[in-house]
Amino acid sequence: MLDRLINILLRTIGSFNAKAKVAMSRFEPGTSISYEKLHENIDIVRKRLNRPLTLSEKIVYGHLDDPMGQDIARGRTYLRLRPDRVAMQDATAQMAMLQFISSGLPKVAVPSTIHCDHLIEAQIGGVEDLKRAKEVNQEVYNFLATAGAKYGVGFWKPGSGIIHQIILENYAYPGVLLIGTDSHTPNGGGLGSICIGVGGADAVDVMAGIPWELKCPNVIGVKLTGSLSGWTSPKDVILKVAGILTVKGGTGAIVEYHGPGVDSISCTGMATICNMGAEIGATTSVFPYNHRMKTYLNKTGRADIAALADKHKDDLVPDKGCKYDQVIEINLSELKPHINGPFTPDLAHPVSEIGAVAEKNGWPLEVKVGLIGSCTNSSYEDMGRAASLAKQALDKGLKCKAAFTVTPGSEQIRATIERDGFSKILRDVGGVVLANACGPCIGQWDRKDVKKGEKNTIVTSYNRNFTSRNDANPATHAFVTSPEIVTALAIAGTLKFDPETDYLTAANGEKFKLEPPNGDELPARDFDPGQDTYQHPPAESGSVMVDVSPTSTRLQLLEPFDKWNGKDLEDLQVLIKVKGKCTTDHISAAGPWLKFRGHLDNISNNMLIGAINIENDAVNKIKNRLTGEYGGVPDVARHYKANGLSWVVVGDDNYGEGSSREHAALEPRHLGGRVILVKSFARIHETNLKKQGMLPLTFADPTDYDKIRPDDKISITGLATFAPGKPLKGVVKHGDGSQDIITLNHTFNENQVEWFHAGSALNRMKELQ
């Protein structure tokens, strides 16, 4: 019992001194930032810019490495920042820790944690699935636990919960700057934090104590008026915003919510909105500090932080008169429940219209599975509101017509909803409570009810619904909505059901309507922490051994990439010209491939296997220009590499949207790629490519995409004078002997050019040691 209490103490916020230091615990390694220091930096920048600041600017500029000298221009300059902490989920932590080991540094410089949530496959139920995951992934979990102990990183064991829920419960707080190796890290914005998703190489920079670079974000303001009520939930806010901005409308910007409507949303509801902001390409999203956040801090054992935040509230809300680059206004009183999809999270529909739209488009009306939970919607409030609907159905003698799964966001949520009876209600209505993990949301789902290729519909409270993402079935039509709407549609069994107007038939034949959902924001009693799942790094770790077997299929130590040879890149073979949407799921699929995330050579066997080849509209079928035969994309790439032929990928708009997984950048580099040439990039993927010594380039004229033929060779010229703001030239050589010369843009700054010269950012870090 004593050990458990000590561990709980170690993982929560420690005491604070009179200088208002906000460190995650005095027991954790690294530096802390104080509210006084935040205020000092904000004051310096406000005087320099001579204008009011948005909340986003306050927190970001408040963490500048050099607030006096930093060049600040939204959307143009690169900022050098000092984040307060790092968080890594287990699938990306493997490569991040392997890179940190390669750096040769003895300890992390800032508080950092690893969270085991991605490697647990949903098959039977929470208890059984967790037990099996521990057995199957023992080698990886042991590596992460020992690497954490060796290098000073906290370790949240499998079963602890999803990284973003753990951060919200323990580490996020108003004004903190946190980076995480997962694209949905912005979840923490619900607690007034700037939390940004990054690749593992960025995490290594911060853990090494190096200032972290971020292109100075624009700020999109979303003004909320009115108040939420009835069937409308916080999820509907971001579903509506996604419909307005699309999957790339937030690229390069922080989305900042403000206005009187904010106070009608719970802290965890604000987190839901920020979480799914990743689907519009936003750098992150954030809400201003208010009484809902204070209540959540108090309930999660952080009353001392709430008291400090109250004292420094002026720095935790936007200045009056601040200017946004774009403003969207949403009246919450008029907002209706929404459902987005299929195949993309920005295809927004009012729930009242989805049945008719589905019929018109030939989408399956029958709901095969309803899935609630995930990092986006697994709070106590979410589960309580879903249970209130399930209870109404049970009282009328009904159960779900669709299969129904429930994913608690954390061990604390699982234990509390079990104690308070929600889990029993959800099981009684037909639900299966899964492990406290990502599960089906990221494709960790051993689905058995449909065959691959069988057209079907599922509805989820998740955040992302790309083709094949949840169950590896490209014919699954996945829709994202609120947990309340998922529950209602699972009970009805069809998309053609509007719970605000339509009736269900009770077991006795009586017609009835579901009453709007209700649920407490937070438990009346304290949260039940459940089982202790946290391992704090030891003070002395000299004797800790981190083993990576040379024969392992799961883990592989990294070899440095080759430096640039000082010459132009001549005659790069077009490996594949990608047609249409190409997310990181297309470039480096998750699901069953997650088990290879710590082994670069093995995980590279999934490179671009989901991308559509414009030459034949096929996936994972390209022509090998050396042999004339068709093969899988990774196989052809390996053949080119073995024969000394470097290659280029040509892509469309918003290339690399979705997950933060840096494997989508590591794999092309490992298999001999040098350039990714597209119309436009998603932010995280572009940075990840730069970090690994690749050249992410864009067409100065997007119509030049049409000039590239699948059998072309492309030379990149001008590298001898490669510099920020200076375009490169592409010489496109066609098979018929003709050629086109096109202009290619890039966003490299001086430091990033040095990464390219050195072969990778990690190589450059070693050069500077």
Side-chain angles (χ1 to χ4, degrees), residues 448-666:
K448 302 290 190 185
D449 63 302
V450 296
K451 295 178 181 177
K452 190 169 183 177
E454 182 180 342
K455 200 173 176 181
N456 74 100
T457 285
I458 64 174
V459 291
T460 82
S461 70
Y462 304 161
N463 43 39
R464 195 166 281 163
N465 59 345
F466 300 143
T467 303
S468 302
R469 177 174 174 84
N470 301 122
D471 61 1
N473 181 4
T476 293
H477 292 55
F479 296 84
V480 292
T481 185
S482 68
E484 300 93 319
I485 295 298
V486 171
T487 305
L489 296 180
I491 293 167
T494 177
L495 287 178
K496 205 169 183 179
F497 178 72
D498 178 4
E500 290 192 293
T501 59
D502 294 342
Y503 288 80
L504 295 168
T505 304
N508 64 4
E510 172 193 355
K511 298 286 187 181
F512 74 100
K513 278 174 62 177
L514 291 169
E515 294 295 323
N518 64 80
D520 292 335
E521 177 179 347
L522 295 164
R525 292 184 280 172
D526 287 340
F527 280 107
D528 183 341
Q531 299 179 35
D532 179 33
T533 54
Y534 178 71
Q535 170 188 298
H536 193 73
E540 298 296 330
S541 60
S543 62
V544 177
M545 300 297 295
V546 182
D547 292 324
V548 177
S549 169
T551 61
S552 173
T553 61
R554 301 288 302 270
L555 299 164
Q556 180 186 47
L557 292 174
L558 297 173
E559 295 292 332
F561 291 128
D562 293 339
K563 293 183 178 182
W564 175 55
N565 63 8
K567 302 177 181 178
D568 287 337
L569 299 176
E570 297 285 353
D571 294 330
L572 302 178
Q573 180 65 58
V574 173
L575 178 70
I576 180 173
K577 183 179 179 183
V578 178
K579 178 182 178 181
K581 184 187 282 282
C582 191
T583 71
T584 48
D585 280 43
H586 295 88
I587 304 167
S588 178
W593 290 95
L594 284 169
K595 60 179 173 285
F596 298 124
R597 284 285 181 86
H599 196 293
L600 180 55
D601 195 54
N602 284 343
I603 191 69
S604 294
N605 288 323
N606 78 355
M607 186 192 73
L608 286 161
I609 62 174
I612 297 175
N613 180 7
I614 199 168
E615 187 175 22
N616 54 14
D617 282 338
V619 294
N620 202 29
K621 185 179 180 182
I622 61 172
K623 191 171 185 178
N624 185 323
R625 305 298 167 180
L626 296 179
T627 67
E629 299 176 352
Y630 281 86
V633 181
D635 300 323
V636 175
R638 285 185 187 277
H639 188 258
Y640 287 169
K641 181 181 179 182
N643 285 274
L645 179 60
S646 297
W647 47 264
V648 54
V649 169
V650 177
D652 212 315
D653 265 320
N654 208 30
Y655 185 91
E657 71 172 276
S659 167
S660 69
R661 67 193 68 156
E662 66 181 337
H663 300 78
L666 281 160

Side-chain angles (χ1 to χ4, degrees), residues 42 56 74 179 304 346 376 414 488 514 624 657 740 756:
I42 291 169
S56 310
R74 286 188 196 170
I179 66 164
D304 42 7
D346 58 350
T376 321
R414 183 210 62 79
L514 291 169
N624 185 323
E657 71 172 276
D740 288 295
F756 173 74

